[in-house]
Amino acid sequence: MSETLDILVEDSESVRADNFVEVQLDESIPNNVDLSSDKQLLRALETWHPQYLEWWKDMGPDGFQDADVYLRTAVGVDPSGWAKFGHVKMPEYRWGILLAPKVEGRTIPCGEHKGEPVWQEVPGKYRALLKRLIVVQGDTEPASVEQQRYLGKTAPSLYDMRNLFQVNVEEGRHLWAMVYLLVKYFGKDGREEAQALLERRSGQQDNPRILGAFNERTPDWLSFFMFTYFTDRDGKMQLAALAESGFDPLSRSCRFMLTEEAHHLFVGETGVQRTIEATCAAMARAGITDPYDVERVRALGVVDLPLLQRKANFHMSVTRDLFGSEISSNGAEAFSAGLKGRFNEARLTGDDHQLQDAFYPVTQVVDGALVVNQVPALRAINCRLLDDYIADCQGGIDRWNKTIEKAGIAFKLTQPHKGFNRRIGEFAGHRIDPQGEIVSDEHWQANAAEWLPNAEDMDFIVSLMQPCTEPGRFASWIAPPRVGINNQTGDFEYVKIA
Ligand code: BYC
């Protein structure tokens, strides 16, 4: 399902739940993988389940475990009716294992095994590589819940609070999806990895989450919206690449996860959009047209646009690091093995999907200058996915800019240069400004506060983050949504706080 289509479903239609495919909902773990016929697997998952609940209670939304939240629960995998809505206490959410339907006759879309039937079991010689991909994917899911743990307390409305919790429970379900694969297909190792997924902690020094961005803080709602727009979009791209996997159970898991991911992107895009709407409206009321008249804009209780740009710069740059090094032998290996494709691999035309003789342009720093070099395409797989990601980010940014333009404010949000503020890959260790100029360390230090959120910005944001929990009310800095979730009215009580 496309991002746009899912947004339409979420926003304007009541999602029907009467048309699902073979999902056993009344079992202890709802599933469409016939869990009850595999007693050993069922036992392993039933052992993991209480540990997962412990983790959820310790690290899930703080202070809201007893609240009744209007949540969407996946009850099937048919695109026309896969979810139902209702008030649920989060620890009682029905986290299930749902795979998209099998595509009969599916073949491996890329790499050395292109055209061979997809694997239903783990291909022995790629076991370690495949397990690593699943573990890395799985690790991001609980990490994001941990990062967002305290946000409920400063929610700008019950509508937003509900969206936060929806994202959180679905990240929990995505963890279940990866744990199912580990436990079913990787024996004892897999069970140990499933355990370790509950033990690492975002930001913890001794046992951190695997990837950098998932150890950063998500301290406020602007970070949350930027995270769900930019970082969940890495989720979209990576899940789409894994949905092309020759290991069919991984492909099917990721295909279904993508339907849920679309809502997370919607939360991010509309969250930033509504922030911009509130800013533009307040500026118009006060007769302010200069977006850099920051002091006066902030006095109105809204977020100034230059601050939004700095927030976006931060989230874009740390998320770009999640694609790994632009030139990577791991990336080449995963593609050649047929374990991970490019974005839309099966639908790409114009090459042989094996890329033995192909090249791809990669920007590199050579002798203090940025140079585009043609690099063997196999080794540049990560770079290509990153470039596709950067292109995919632009749609929402253009829509945000339209709102600013319509308000008559001369300001445009932009994406910084690919090399800006990077810690992984070709640009790591270099100071590159948002325009793509290589600058000295001294110049960077003198200007960083213009490019990335500074201490004053963070203090201001904290001052804005006052909770607003009366049904139908919104904090000053964010406009109400155009449509309620599942078409609910404006004053609907999305969260009944205990
Ligand atoms: N931070 O050859 P390299 C989501 C490690 S988000 C720390 O450069 P490779 C979600 C790398 O692990 C999607 N370490 O790159 C979003 C490797 O270590 P090992 C998550 C990093 O391996 C929001 C070493 O550096 N899914 O779903 O080709 C909310 C050399 O690696 C980083 C996936 O990422 C970093 N940023 O690519 C909730 C898909 N980058 O193995 C959820 C699965 C690299 O030598 N993962 N390293 O110890 C992958 O496809 C790959 O693991 C990566 C890295 C693309 C992440």
Side-chain angles (χ1 to χ4, degrees):
M1 188 185 285
S2 74
E3 188 174 325
T4 333
L5 182 56
D6 191 67
I7 288 168
L8 285 177
V9 168
E10 171 76 24
D11 238 6
S12 60
E13 266 179 36
S14 128
V15 179
R16 283 171 298 110
D18 55 0
N19 192 17
F20 52 84
V21 182
E22 297 167 19
V23 178
Q24 285 143 5
L25 282 174
D26 48 354
E27 297 195 359
S28 62
I29 302 164
N31 70 91
N32 69 347
V33 294
D34 199 12
L35 259 191
S36 57
S37 71
D38 186 341
K39 296 290 179 232
Q40 204 183 350
L41 171 64
L42 183 61
R43 251 198 319 277
L45 288 171
E46 283 179 346
T47 307
W48 188 82
H49 194 169
Q51 295 167 23
Y52 168 80
L53 286 176
E54 278 303 303
W55 166 81
W56 178 269
K57 284 183 188 158
D58 285 350
M59 298 311 297
D62 189 44
F64 294 91
Q65 299 287 340
D66 292 324
D68 287 309
V69 187
Y70 188 66
L71 292 177
R72 167 180 86 169
T73 305
V75 292
V77 291
D78 186 319
S80 68
W82 60 274
K84 68 168 188 186
F85 287 88
H87 279 96
V88 178
K89 290 192 195 338
M90 285 183 278
E92 290 162 21
Y93 187 76
R94 303 283 283 149
W95 284 285
I97 297 166
L98 298 165
L99 269 58
K102 207 179 217 175
V103 175
E104 287 310 324
R106 180 167 176 259
T107 56
I108 299 169
C110 60
E112 289 166 20
H113 303 280
K114 181 185 174 306
E116 295 173 20
V118 287
W119 299 295
Q120 299 303 333
E121 295 297 331
V122 173
K125 68 174 173 169
Y126 304 133
R127 189 174 190 277
L129 184 57
L130 178 59
K131 191 179 72 178
R132 180 74 183 156
L133 290 173
I134 296 171
V135 166
V136 172
Q137 178 62 52
D139 192 68
T140 62
E141 315 289 2
S144 67
V145 175
E146 292 166 1
Q147 289 172 297
Q148 296 161 14
R149 174 156 195 244
Y150 297 107
L151 289 176
K153 297 187 168 170
T154 52
S157 71
L158 289 182
Y159 167 89
D160 290 291
M161 190 191 283
R162 174 267 169 202
N163 282 347
L164 164 72
F165 296 155
Q166 182 71 58
V167 168
N168 292 161
V169 293
E170 284 176 350
E171 300 302 7
R173 207 202 66 72
H174 291 181
L175 170 62
W176 270 92
M178 293 301 113
V179 162
Y180 162 73
L181 295 174
L182 289 169
V183 172
K184 178 166 167 80
Y185 295 99
F186 292 89
K188 185 162 175 286
D189 285 10
R191 290 196 295 278
E192 283 169 8
E193 294 286 7
Q195 185 66 37
L197 285 168
L198 296 178
E199 288 168 2
R200 284 187 285 272
R201 289 286 180 274
S202 175
Q204 200 178 70
Q205 280 222 313
D206 301 346
N207 196 14
R209 292 293 170 186
I210 297 170
L211 299 177
F214 292 91
N215 290 303
E216 298 286 348
R217 292 174 64 234
T218 309
D220 58 74
W221 279 78
L222 275 189
S223 299
F224 173 66
F225 292 138
M226 292 292 178
F227 183 97
T228 39
Y229 187 75
F230 291 111
T231 309
D232 277 84
R233 192 168 301 279
D234 171 47
K236 168 186 168 181
M237 302 306 285
Q238 299 290 351
L239 289 174
L242 293 174
E244 303 287 345
S245 181
F247 180 54
D248 206 38
L250 175 61
S251 162
R252 292 174 57 202
S253 290
C254 292
R255 267 166 47 215
F256 186 66
M257 288 159 77
L258 280 165
T259 40
E260 291 162 318
E261 200 66 36
H263 173 68
H264 308 183
L265 299 171
F266 161 83
V267 169
E269 178 171 342
T270 55
V272 176
Q273 171 73 26
R274 290 163 50 220
T275 305
I276 292 172
E277 282 169 17
T279 300
C280 292
M283 286 174 69
R285 277 194 304 273
I288 305 172
T289 48
D290 178 4
Y292 296 96
D293 197 348
V294 168
E295 216 171 295
R296 284 177 70 211
V297 173
R298 289 188 181 184
L300 303 171
V302 292
V303 181
D304 52 292
L305 299 175
L307 167 50
L308 268 187
Q309 177 71 64
R310 287 194 286 278
K311 271 279 192 190
N313 285 349
F314 173 77
H315 287 274
M316 281 188 253
S317 55
V318 297
T319 303
R320 290 167 179 180
D321 278 345
L322 292 176
F323 290 80
S325 304
E326 285 83 354
I327 300 177
S328 159
S329 55
N330 290 350
E333 214 186 320
F335 179 85
S336 289
L339 297 179
K340 182 178 171 187
R342 290 169 291 177
F343 187 55
N344 278 335
E345 182 69 48
R347 277 182 272 159
L348 289 179
T349 53
D351 64 50
D352 63 0
H353 299 270
Q354 293 183 316
L355 306 180
Q356 293 289 354
D357 306 314
F359 286 85
Y360 187 81
V362 176
T363 307
Q364 298 180 295
V365 183
V366 180
D367 297 333
L370 292 173
V371 178
V372 178
N373 284 322
Q374 293 296 326
V375 169
L378 271 179
R379 291 170 45 73
I381 286 289
N382 288 350
C383 184
R384 170 146 186 175
L385 195 60
L386 172 60
D387 290 344
D388 288 344
Y389 164 79
I390 290 173
D392 202 66
C393 284
Q394 193 57 38
I397 297 175
D398 289 343
R399 287 185 283 278
W400 298 337
N401 281 332
K402 267 205 190 102
T403 302
I404 301 172
E405 196 188 324
K406 264 197 201 149
I409 299 167
F411 191 89
K412 208 168 176 182
L413 291 161
T414 53
Q415 297 202 49
H417 184 271
K418 190 157 70 162
F420 172 73
N421 195 37
R422 296 289 304 280
R423 296 201 180 144
I424 302 271
E426 290 299 317
F427 307 106
H430 299 282
R431 295 298 199 186
I432 298 174
D433 75 8
Q435 280 69 45
E437 292 294 324
I438 299 180
V439 296
S440 66
D441 200 45
E442 213 175 22
H443 184 85
W444 175 276
Q445 300 301 349
N447 289 279
E450 291 295 310
W451 300 331
L452 291 166
N454 55 52
E456 243 174 66
D457 292 342
M458 297 311 276
D459 287 347
F460 172 65
I461 295 173
V462 168
S463 75
L464 278 188
M465 297 293 127
Q466 303 302 327
C468 186
T469 54
E470 202 181 306
R473 290 283 312 278
F474 290 80
S476 63
W477 59 269
I478 191 161
R482 294 207 183 103
V483 190
I485 294 297
N486 198 25
N487 261 343
Q488 294 297 349
T489 54
D491 59 354
F492 184 71
E493 197 174 1
Y494 287 102
V495 183
K496 295 177 186 165
I497 298 169

